[in-house]
Amino acid sequence: MHDFTVTPYAVEGDVDYDRLLERFGADRLTDAQIADFPQPAHRLLRREVFYAGRDVDRFTAAATRDETVSVVTGRGPSGPMHLGHVYPFYFAKYLQEQTGAHVYIPLSDDEKYFAKDLTFDEIHEYTKENLRDILAVGFDPEKTRIIVDTEDADVVYPLAAEFAKELTPAAMEATYGTPPNVGLGFYPAVQATHLLLPQLVHGPHPTLVPIAVDQDPHVRVCRDIAAKQRHDVTKPAALLSKFLPRLGGGGGKMSTSDEAPGILLSDDRETVREKVAKHAYSGGRSDLDEHREHGGDPEVDVAYQLLFYFFEDDDAELERLADEYRSGELLSGELKEYAADRIADFLEAHQARRPEGPIAEVVDPYRLTDAERERLRPGVFG
């Protein structure tokens, strides 16, 4: 049995997603649950990239009744964004468009200072560029709020302090292990604040947190806090995704620090083609004649997997590619070219939507309003 590590701060080895569900206590999504989402179901749902969760039914039932719902999904700004970072945001946009959900997007610049060997100046430069990429997704500013922890500390910190009182050192160690510093030991209370903010602004309602499975401990801790709180809040629901594959294959998730690099949201078409051609693990045969005779394996081919996860929406086209690859009609290089062009098409459209101008101005429509802040931060001088 292969060993692997999945925590909010490290993912190593070939991940066994079923074993993770046993470890985390989440449930695999059923066909009926997927059918309860707005139809046609998003490709990330129907292809089981989002494959498990908790209390998902409460969110979909409320959305079906046109009741208030919200979605929370965030970003840790420790570097430039790559493909693996952005697809949860596009999924959140789909939910906003289909259900009218409020979307809250926290950027945990403080957590990255505690966890990474970076200065705040470096982290804040990444934060500014990450914000441009998040806004390029196209969220509705009337129903979207962006929170940056150090910029919105007047709201975040008092709530985090209140929630931290519900967390014991033993519970934190059982969930995260021993933190390397006091900052990371406190951060789960900040993350709980992120996940409960929509309810603290708009009143109790179902909140869905679509995240990669390595971030699930934060949701579990928040759910425990919500159960104990004097605030009128409900436990946030979790929707857990698999990792966008590394270009080099072998399990794990896409990263900019791998030998096989991640594909950045800033990459141009030629760079995408070079990265996919050089680094994407192939499920094809090493010999052309052998490939023509025996075919390739799309299940391990990273170019195909990238198409499967996000970059080919047409199920019939995806199946055609798989069939031709298995038969040997489609070569590995041809599949890589097809995938690279689809990814580049996506990136060019994304890059064209990146807002220009001073970051404070482009983000301002998405920040908490004065009335929302007053609701969240009654204090000594309030």
Side-chain angles (χ1 to χ4, degrees), residues 43-273:
R43 57 191 175 277
L44 291 169
L45 285 168
R46 66 180 186 263
R47 296 174 188 166
E48 298 183 359
V49 177
F50 280 107
Y51 79 113
R54 295 184 190 81
D55 283 347
V56 171
D57 296 334
R58 290 183 57 249
F59 175 88
T60 53
T64 300
R65 296 190 297 264
D66 290 326
E67 296 174 358
T68 299
V69 293
S70 62
V71 176
V72 181
T73 192
R75 167 74 184 135
S78 61
M81 292 179 69
H82 58 62
L83 296 180
H85 296 137
V86 78
Y87 73 84
F89 292 106
Y90 277 92
F91 181 73
K93 180 196 174 187
Y94 147 82
L95 290 176
Q96 184 176 72
E97 290 175 337
Q98 297 296 317
T99 70
H102 298 279
V103 173
Y104 276 60
I105 303 172
L107 278 81
S108 52
D109 55 343
D110 51 348
E111 180 203 20
K112 293 309 171 186
Y113 180 75
F114 301 141
K116 302 285 186 177
D117 187 19
L118 295 168
T119 67
F120 264 126
D121 286 344
E122 292 170 321
I123 291 168
H124 288 161
E125 286 305 309
Y126 289 132
T127 302
K128 294 172 187 177
E129 293 307 305
N130 289 182
L131 283 168
R132 295 186 194 278
D133 277 315
I134 291 168
L135 293 180
V137 174
F139 292 104
D140 178 358
E142 293 297 319
K143 306 207 77 171
T144 306
R145 293 294 176 261
I146 291 174
I147 295 92
V148 179
D149 284 347
T150 60
E151 290 292 319
D152 296 297
D154 58 326
V155 167
V156 172
Y157 178 77
L159 290 165
E162 183 175 346
F163 298 150
K165 194 173 182 180
E166 305 293 349
L167 300 175
T168 66
M172 290 297 90
E173 186 169 353
T175 304
Y176 298 98
T178 303
N181 54 58
V182 172
L184 274 184
F186 183 76
Y187 179 73
V190 176
Q191 180 69 288
T193 303
H194 295 161
L195 302 187
L196 295 176
L197 272 180
Q199 295 188 69
L200 297 174
V201 172
H202 303 287
H205 63 264
T207 297
L208 185 69
V209 186
I211 49 172
V213 68
D214 59 330
Q215 300 302 303
D216 182 60
H218 293 320
V219 183
R220 299 201 310 271
V221 167
C222 180
R223 286 167 60 84
D224 289 343
I225 289 174
K228 302 173 183 175
Q229 266 303 301
R230 61 178 177 82
H231 293 289
D232 192 7
V233 294
T234 63
K235 295 180 179 180
L239 186 63
L240 307 178
S241 82
K242 301 173 184 177
F243 301 119
L244 193 71
R246 300 172 57 248
L247 281 185
K253 64 178 181 178
M254 185 172 285
S255 170
T256 55
S257 59
D258 286 343
E259 290 184 12
I263 298 174
L264 302 180
L265 300 188
S266 57
D267 283 346
D268 59 24
R269 184 173 295 269
E270 188 57 35
T271 301
V272 172
R273 285 174 171 167

